[in-house]
Amino acid sequence: MKVVDIERIVVEVPFTPRQRRITLRTVYNWQILELCRVETNTGHVGWGETVVHYTHQRVSDHSVKRVMGQSPAAHMCDDAVGAGLQMALFDVMGKIAEVPVCHLLGTKVRDATPLSWWCSHAAPDDWGAEARDAVAGGYTSFKTKPRPWWDIIEQVEALSRSAPPHFKLDLDPNGSLVNAAAAVPVLKRLAEFDRVAMFETPIPQHDILGNRQIRARIDRPLAMHFGSPPYVTAVREEICDGFVVSGGATQVLRQGTLSAEVGMPFWLQLVGNGLTTVWAAHLGAVLSHATWPTISCINLYSHQLLKEPIVVSGGYQEVPPGPGLGIEVDEEAVARFRVPREKLDQGGVYHLPLPRLINTVVYPDGTCIHMAAMGLEPFMRGVGPVYAEGVRVEGTPDDGSREWADLYRRALQHPVRDRWSG
């Protein structure tokens, strides 16, 4: 039993129309996936996928050389082989052993795992429309990204008009509320909404005192990425209620086990399309404290690359009972979305071009800040308030004018403060 072929296939799977527009400012490159197809001398085939521009580890030529000719079991627990290759090794090993992947990972504790809808920062009406789609798709929770350039209260109100009371919302400012003094008033207002279930990283995670203050004053669970600050510090100082767990199989199992040792829940954050979402279900099936909804972002994609799409019911996806990952890849769709080899760079990677867009943060008093890329770092340095009532973003695409080109050039270097004339 040994690996005789590894094929790496780069595909561009378009996002849904609304998400293509929303993600122009953020994660548009997540549309690029690398699929790994692993074949053994027993005739079995395993599949895995990597979000090329967002992963714990890309698959490398070196990894492929190490795995070729070896038993798939020899390297499947090595996170360093890369996300897609590791997934494919588990898939093919499960097929050879005629057991689901979860049986290779540990003792199964559940037959279905919770899954959350995901959306980046967007206009309130877009959050509302995404929530309607989520409810129609069987989801019961929604994870979003509050940002200083949108009025988060307006966003939550719009979402609330679109979803039933049981539909929950998890909010991840990615540290953009800066410190406890700025964060507490905003979080208190948000906690007035019953549907707001928890907050992830409202301020930088290394701010131990600030996070303790927030946890003591806000009546919602606080989630943090595992390992920052160190696990022992987070537990000893009681700065969070649970974790965000991510990475390769070995790292996820270790972090999940340590979370269970102190009785702390977590969600799995394994971003990708259909294959990654099923992979996350198998991991969640064996981790007792993986009780918060998994974040895979599968809802972004217009096609799951699976012959039978994943069904979400009551906020849960079933753990496929068949051998390996228990799903079948739609190879016709893979061929349709495949990126021609001539478009790949020397490293075998494909990059979508940076959208030429001026993003203007507009405040109610008529002042504005022009930015070429929507990043948090300037706001962390105080270029604008962490929250402003009525703030919004206006996008201005390249109109070919000299004035637009000059402003874009300056906004690429640093945010440009101005008066809004739109």
Side-chain angles (χ1 to χ4, degrees):
M1 178 180 62
K2 61 182 180 181
V3 174
V4 295
D5 186 53
I6 299 175
E7 184 181 9
R8 296 158 66 188
I9 305 165
V10 177
V11 295
E12 179 184 352
V13 183
F15 287 166
T16 64
R18 187 186 306 116
Q19 284 295 341
R20 283 203 295 273
R21 175 169 50 78
I22 290 172
T23 57
L24 277 177
R25 297 187 172 101
T26 53
V27 297
Y28 57 91
N29 258 324
W30 289 4
Q31 295 172 97
I32 308 304
L33 308 171
E34 182 184 76
L35 305 181
C36 272
R37 181 186 182 277
V38 171
E39 186 173 352
T40 64
N41 61 348
T42 60
H44 294 88
V45 172
W47 288 86
E49 74 179 11
T50 304
V51 180
V52 175
H53 300 286
Y54 182 93
T55 182
H56 68 92
Q57 185 78 35
R58 287 182 184 173
V59 179
S60 66
D61 293 342
H62 176 68
S63 294
V64 171
K65 290 177 182 177
R66 274 204 304 134
V67 170
M68 281 292 294
Q70 303 293 310
S71 165
H75 295 284
M76 68 183 189
C77 293
D78 182 0
D79 295 349
V81 301
L85 182 51
Q86 182 178 57
M87 200 183 306
L89 292 174
F90 269 95
D91 185 29
V92 77
M93 192 65 229
K95 290 172 179 174
I96 292 169
E98 298 183 346
V99 297
V101 160
C102 58
H103 289 191
L104 304 177
L105 293 166
T107 301
K108 190 178 181 184
V109 297
R110 59 179 65 88
D111 294 323
T113 61
L115 183 66
S116 188
W117 194 271
W118 187 89
C119 184
S120 188
H121 49 89
D125 287 348
D126 284 332
W127 272 21
E130 288 288 311
R132 286 192 292 274
D133 288 350
V135 171
Y139 291 79
T140 59
S141 66
F142 187 121
K143 186 191 172 191
T144 60
K145 298 281 191 178
R147 290 295 184 262
W149 43 81
W150 289 112
D151 186 331
I152 180 58
I153 305 301
E154 284 187 10
Q155 290 172 308
V156 175
E157 288 174 341
L159 187 148
S160 296
R161 291 190 293 270
S162 301
H166 71 266
F167 190 79
K168 298 302 182 183
L169 179 61
D170 301 328
L171 298 171
D172 176 16
N174 285 109
S176 63
L177 295 179
V178 181
N179 55 53
V184 166
V186 180
L187 298 178
K188 279 190 170 182
R189 287 189 65 186
L190 290 168
E192 293 174 4
F193 293 89
D194 289 340
R195 74 175 65 254
V196 173
M198 71 181 81
F199 300 107
E200 177 193 348
T201 316
I203 65 175
Q205 293 190 180
H206 62 75
D207 184 350
I208 294 172
L209 177 60
N211 279 293
R212 287 185 65 182
Q213 291 175 335
I214 289 172
R215 186 165 180 250
R217 299 177 66 184
I218 303 301
D219 183 26
R220 290 294 187 276
L222 189 63
M224 287 189 175
H225 283 266
F226 191 103
S228 173
Y231 165 75
V232 173
T233 302
V235 173
R236 182 185 63 229
E237 299 296 330
E238 300 182 330
I239 61 172
C240 64
D241 298 276
F243 295 110
V244 181
V245 168
S246 59
T250 298
Q251 177 172 300
V252 165
L253 293 172
R254 174 179 172 274
Q255 292 181 358
T257 300
L258 288 172
S259 298
E261 284 297 304
V262 289
M264 294 176 72
F266 60 89
W267 70 62
L268 293 169
Q269 186 158 299
L270 300 168
V271 172
N273 200 357
L275 284 163
T276 299
T277 303
V278 174
W279 168 243
H282 283 279
L283 283 162
V286 302
L287 292 166
S288 62
H289 284 59
T291 55
W292 287 348
T294 290
I295 308 301
S296 79
C297 304
I298 188 174
N299 61 278
L300 299 181
Y301 296 92
S302 61
H303 198 293
Q304 296 182 6
L305 301 183
L306 306 178
K307 284 195 172 181
E308 295 293 332
I310 294 167
V311 174
V312 179
S313 178
Y316 281 73
Q317 64 166 327
E318 181 186 8
V319 182
L325 290 173
I327 47 82
E328 191 174 355
V329 170
D330 185 340
E331 297 192 50
E332 290 184 2
V334 171
R336 185 162 71 250
F337 295 122
R338 185 166 190 157
V339 176
R341 185 173 298 275
E342 58 268 20
K343 287 190 175 183
L344 307 181
D345 64 18
Q346 290 185 345
V349 176
Y350 179 58
H351 302 261
L352 291 172
L354 177 70
R356 287 179 60 81
L357 185 70
I358 296 174
N359 301 287
T360 304
V361 183
V362 183
Y363 296 97
D365 66 357
T367 60
C368 68
I369 301 172
H370 302 295
M371 304 175 71
M374 300 302 288
L376 287 176
E377 196 272 337
F379 288 89
M380 302 291 282
R381 292 188 286 105
V383 72
V386 299
Y387 170 73
E389 188 173 347
V391 66
R392 70 183 193 278
V393 176
E394 298 285 349
T396 307
D398 190 350
D399 61 6
S401 68
R402 181 179 300 177
E403 291 78 12
W404 188 97
D406 177 66
L407 179 57
Y408 184 71
R409 176 186 56 79
R410 291 188 290 140
L412 277 173
Q413 297 172 350
H414 53 75
V416 178
R417 188 170 292 278
D418 201 354
R419 297 289 301 182
W420 176 243
S421 59

